[in-house]
């Protein structure tokens, strides 16, 4: 991730238009900004959300509210609660997320 040529700025996330992304079950609402080649998102997963795909993109992900369960392609499952984060590199470990109760995330990728 190369964070050059990005001027100082402030994002009021409530002013960023949301987009809906259906999962295998439930849905995700993304508010997305792009800074050069870096995507920054505020994401909300509905209760009962399950991703409809395996993701190979790298992320730094902070759980702001709720609890997120992430399954790795090797069968390992981890739960990340509010106040904790995870990081994974591009094409290192395919993963997919779900939540029983809903979750609010801040994601940089």
């Amino acid at each position: 991730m190369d964070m050059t040529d990005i001027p100082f700025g402030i994002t009021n996330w409530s002013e960023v238009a949301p987009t809906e992304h259906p999962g295998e079950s439930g849905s995700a609402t993304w508010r997305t900004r792009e800074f050069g080649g870096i995507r920054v998102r505020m994401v909300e997963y509905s209760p009962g959300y399950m991703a409809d795909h395996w993701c190979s993109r790298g992320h730094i992900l902070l759980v702001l509210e709720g609890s997120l369960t992430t399954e790795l392609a090797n069968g390992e499952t981890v739960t990340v609660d509010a106040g904790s984060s995870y990081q994974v590199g591009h094409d290192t470990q395919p993963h997919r997320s779900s939540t029983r109760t809903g979750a609010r995330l801040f994601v940089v990728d």
Side-chain angles (χ1 to χ4, degrees), residues 21-28 46-50:
H21 302 267
E24 185 176 297
S25 62
S27 65
S46 68
Y49 174 80
M50 166 65 90

Side-chain angles (χ1 to χ4, degrees), residues 19-72:
T19 57
E20 294 293 321
H21 302 267
E24 185 176 297
S25 62
S27 65
T29 302
W30 297 7
R31 294 177 187 271
T32 307
R33 296 281 317 268
E34 297 275 345
F35 302 99
I38 299 169
R39 180 173 70 174
V40 180
R41 298 177 288 153
M42 189 71 69
V43 177
E44 292 187 41
Y45 289 144
S46 68
Y49 174 80
M50 166 65 90
D52 65 350
H53 66 283
W54 289 92
C55 180
S56 293
R57 188 170 180 154
H59 312 284
I60 298 173
L61 179 150
L62 170 64
V63 179
L64 299 171
E65 296 174 7
S67 181
L68 182 71
T69 299
T70 298
E71 179 184 3
L72 303 178

Side-chain angles (χ1 to χ4, degrees), residues 9-17 31 33 42:
I10 295 173
T11 300
N12 180 338
W13 290 100
S14 66
E15 295 176 356
V16 177
R31 294 177 187 271
R33 296 281 317 268
M42 189 71 69

Side-chain angles (χ1 to χ4, degrees), residues 89-105:
H90 290 300
D91 298 320
T92 58
Q93 292 178 295
H95 51 280
R96 66 178 175 177
S97 295
S98 64
T99 177
R100 290 184 183 164
T101 59
R104 189 164 161 253
L105 318 169

